[in-house]
Amino acid sequence: MFQYDRRFIRNFSIIAHIDHGKSTLADRLLELTHTVEARQMQEQFLDNMDLERERGITIKARPVTMLYQAGDGHIYQINLIDTPGHVDFAYEVSRSLSACEGALLVVDAVQGVQAQTLANVHLAIDRNLEILPVINKVDLPAADVDGVKRQIEDVIGLDASNTLCISAKTGLNVEHVLERILTDIPCPKEPPDNILRALVFDSHYDPYRGVMVYVRVMSGEISKKSLIRFMANGKTFEVSDVGIFVPDERTVDILRPGEVGYLTATIKNTTDVKIGDTITLHKFPALAPLPGFKMIHPVVFAGIYPIDSSDFENLRDALSKLQLNDSALYVEQESSQALGFGFRCGFLGLLHLEIVFERLSREFDLDIITTAPSVIYRFTMTNGQTVEIDNPAKYPDPAQIDFVEEPWVKCHIMAPTDYLGAIMNLGMEKRGELVKTETMSASRLLLTYRLPMNEIITDFHDKLKSVTRGYGSFDYEFDTYEQGQIVKLEIRVNEEMVDAFSCLVHQSKAESKGRAICAKLKEVIPQQLFKVPIQAAIGGKIIARETISAITKNVTAKCYGGDITRKRKLWEKQKKGKKRMKEIGKVNIPQSAFMEVLKAESND
């Protein structure tokens, strides 16, 4: 059994691009340290969500404590803090890395360094972590170990001379990884004093025990009955249980400096727990929190509506349950004339939106639709006031707007050199600015772009994958707000505005988007007894139009022979009737039409 000694604790994380073998390596480490018995073992053990297994990605970080008897006879406590790899969760990754002293950089021997690897390894370098490069999948026939070593040295700037070459699938050389973790990654630093400072790097809601807070203790100690305080909001709670993950929760008496574990307390709302916050004792508080904490703000907004309005209450319950385990999800109720009651939700990015949508559909068996995603625009009014708007329904009076700013991102794209022209065309189409081009190897390039976020969140990833035949990867980070010609595109059916199709777009894209929506609506709205105009407008100016022709009835069918004036009289009568019908008639847009147009917008 492990006797507490700070010198024999190692805290590390694994950094990798999607599908480079991070979860498989974690499985092998769990087996080697006998943390999980062979009969309980399954692939991607730490990814316990169906969606994670299907997509091969880590969505929810999960720590695990492994005890390992090394060659020197000492028992080491090795804490693996598993992190999500995707750019949407970059803040959570940065907090998890802050809880570690080292990181394994896993690179696929076939694919080489990818965009996400680059982003996350820079987060680790910024935190002065000890980084161990590991080349995985060396057993594959297409493996290029020497080429990948050169990329690690040239692109990341790490010494690759003592890189470990492993195959996580077969277990080749994985035991050397364990030994290197013990020798190369430093033990936790000596705490400056005995005042409690614990970093919160994640949390989840347990239906029986309430909120479980994942912590790394930097200094001081936490035990049951401790009265703790969260420094971000000043709230105080009594600790009811502390423990470690092995990999399931196991209660311990006390968590000491350098250890990673969980605590439960009298916390009822997950919103009280902020990722990156510092926990201290209520009686003897720390003077300052640990550095790096910031509030997580949603970046992408979309409306989520039930297809059947009777599912509204079920959708509300489902979203509140998801919020318990996902503090970054923002939800507020809204209503639309066309789609009825629903919710305006904020997400960290497009992957986050997809995951929430999938989980609502699968875990709660709901039929839902999302409106086209949008970002937050900053409006500066003529009176000097600044307003942040993500919903076209809240668009202010154009006469009172001084200027509008839109968010821009810095984007790193990695791809084979053959596709440079196609990527540059895509960048121009998306209003991007090429900042620099770097050559990573004879066959691969790293392009740095600045792009408006609005252009990235819809279909940029799909288009990049299609123009590079699946070889391109990209990663982005928020850069700044810049002035842009942002306008409100209104869609009118029979002179009436339909709020569900309104959106905020850049002026240069308004006409093409308006034409596309009008053309789609012409296909899906059924014919009426009168002509129905479908218009796209900016303010009072019509920029696109389609007309649904009327269902015609041959009123002169009963006239045979005789004078033409009889037919003319009937046609005039019909024309007057149609005119009156158009004045009092309403076009009921069927629900299926909304579904079709919103699907078309998301698949554009």
Side-chain angles (χ1 to χ4, degrees), residues 309-379:
S309 55
S310 61
D311 275 341
F312 174 73
E313 288 298 329
N314 297 340
L315 178 59
R316 175 187 289 173
D317 293 347
L319 281 168
S320 62
K321 282 175 185 164
L322 275 189
Q323 263 187 308
L324 291 173
N325 280 342
D326 187 351
S327 54
L329 177 63
Y330 166 83
V331 178
E332 81 175 357
Q333 193 177 323
E334 72 167 3
S335 64
S336 150
Q337 293 169 4
L339 299 168
F341 288 104
F343 296 91
R344 188 92 186 150
C345 300
F347 307 92
L348 295 172
L350 214 59
L351 177 80
H352 191 201
L353 186 156
E354 275 180 51
I355 287 163
V356 169
F357 185 81
E358 286 268 346
R359 288 185 71 185
L360 287 170
S361 306
R362 290 179 184 204
E363 295 173 24
F364 301 97
D365 200 23
L366 289 167
D367 282 336
I368 51 174
I369 183 145
T370 64
T371 60
S374 68
V375 297
I376 301 175
Y377 295 101
R378 201 182 278 163
F379 287 75

Side-chain angles (χ1 to χ4, degrees), residues 278-566:
T278 304
I279 292 177
T280 189
L281 288 177
H282 181 58
K283 279 187 180 173
F284 307 105
L287 293 175
L290 296 164
F293 171 71
K294 63 179 185 195
M295 297 291 282
I296 303 179
H297 293 295
V299 173
V300 175
F301 286 83
I304 294 185
Y305 291 87
I307 288 175
D308 182 353
S309 55
S310 61
D311 275 341
F312 174 73
E313 288 298 329
N314 297 340
L315 178 59
R316 175 187 289 173
D317 293 347
L319 281 168
S320 62
K321 282 175 185 164
L322 275 189
Q323 263 187 308
L324 291 173
N325 280 342
D326 187 351
S327 54
L329 177 63
Y330 166 83
V331 178
E332 81 175 357
Q333 193 177 323
E334 72 167 3
S335 64
S336 150
Q337 293 169 4
L339 299 168
F341 288 104
F343 296 91
R344 188 92 186 150
C345 300
F347 307 92
L348 295 172
L350 214 59
L351 177 80
H352 191 201
L353 186 156
E354 275 180 51
I355 287 163
V356 169
F357 185 81
E358 286 268 346
R359 288 185 71 185
L360 287 170
S361 306
R362 290 179 184 204
E363 295 173 24
F364 301 97
D365 200 23
L366 289 167
D367 282 336
I368 51 174
I369 183 145
T370 64
T371 60
S374 68
V375 297
I376 301 175
Y377 295 101
R378 201 182 278 163
F379 287 75
T380 302
M381 315 307 278
T382 47
N383 61 3
Q385 188 185 354
T386 305
V387 189
E388 292 194 338
I389 289 173
D390 62 80
N391 191 343
K394 295 177 181 169
Y395 189 81
D397 178 3
Q400 293 176 356
I401 299 171
D402 187 8
F403 59 87
V404 187
E405 293 169 296
E406 61 175 334
W408 281 64
V409 295
K410 192 178 271 184
C411 178
H412 303 286
I413 300 170
M414 287 191 180
T417 45
D418 308 356
Y419 304 112
L420 177 62
I423 294 169
M424 291 183 83
N425 284 341
L426 178 63
M428 282 165 63
E429 183 195 318
K430 297 291 185 186
R431 301 192 285 127
E433 298 169 2
L434 181 60
V435 179
K436 62 179 174 181
T437 311
E438 296 168 79
T439 307
M440 289 171 57
S441 66
S443 59
R444 293 182 68 206
L445 287 172
L446 169 61
L447 304 174
T448 306
Y449 262 97
R450 286 185 73 251
L451 287 150
M453 188 173 233
N454 193 22
E455 301 289 345
I456 274 194
I457 60 166
T458 44
D459 57 357
F460 185 79
H461 186 246
D462 297 342
K463 284 193 171 174
L464 178 69
K465 284 288 181 194
S466 62
V467 300
T468 60
R469 298 193 186 161
Y471 289 111
S473 66
F474 96 109
D475 177 273
Y476 66 88
E477 59 192 349
F478 176 75
D479 189 19
T480 179
Y481 270 89
E482 278 189 17
Q483 279 193 41
Q485 298 291 314
I486 304 299
V487 292
K488 182 183 181 183
L489 179 68
E490 293 178 357
I491 304 295
R492 299 174 187 170
V493 176
N494 199 25
E495 311 292 336
E496 281 188 22
M497 195 185 102
V498 184
D499 64 343
F501 301 134
S502 298
C503 53
L504 299 176
V505 291
H506 192 266
Q507 201 154 15
S508 63
K509 296 289 179 82
E511 190 175 329
S512 58
K513 189 163 180 117
R515 282 181 192 280
I517 295 176
C518 289
K520 190 71 188 173
L521 281 173
K522 186 183 178 183
E523 284 175 31
V524 294
I525 293 178
Q527 279 185 308
Q528 309 291 317
L529 289 167
F530 49 90
K531 275 186 188 174
V532 178
I534 301 169
Q535 297 163 319
I538 296 173
K541 186 185 174 190
I542 306 297
I543 57 168
R545 172 179 169 134
E546 295 280 351
T547 307
I548 301 174
S549 54
I551 300 172
T552 54
K553 182 185 175 190
N554 188 357
V555 287
T556 59
K558 61 186 179 202
C559 300
Y560 51 94
D563 195 1
I564 187 71
T565 51
R566 290 181 62 201

Side-chain angles (χ1 to χ4, degrees), residues 494-495 529-533 545 547 575-587:
N494 199 25
E495 311 292 336
L529 289 167
F530 49 90
K531 275 186 188 174
V532 178
R545 172 179 169 134
T547 307
K575 201 186 278 181
K576 280 181 187 166
K578 293 241 179 198
K579 192 176 175 185
R580 193 166 63 250
M581 197 186 287
K582 186 177 169 69
E583 284 166 8
I584 60 166
K586 276 185 91 64
V587 179

Side-chain angles (χ1 to χ4, degrees), residues 168-187:
K169 194 165 191 178
T170 62
L172 175 74
N173 289 341
V174 175
E175 67 280 359
H176 297 317
V177 176
L178 255 180
E179 290 294 340
R180 287 283 299 279
I181 289 169
L182 306 183
T183 55
D184 290 24
I185 291 177
C187 65

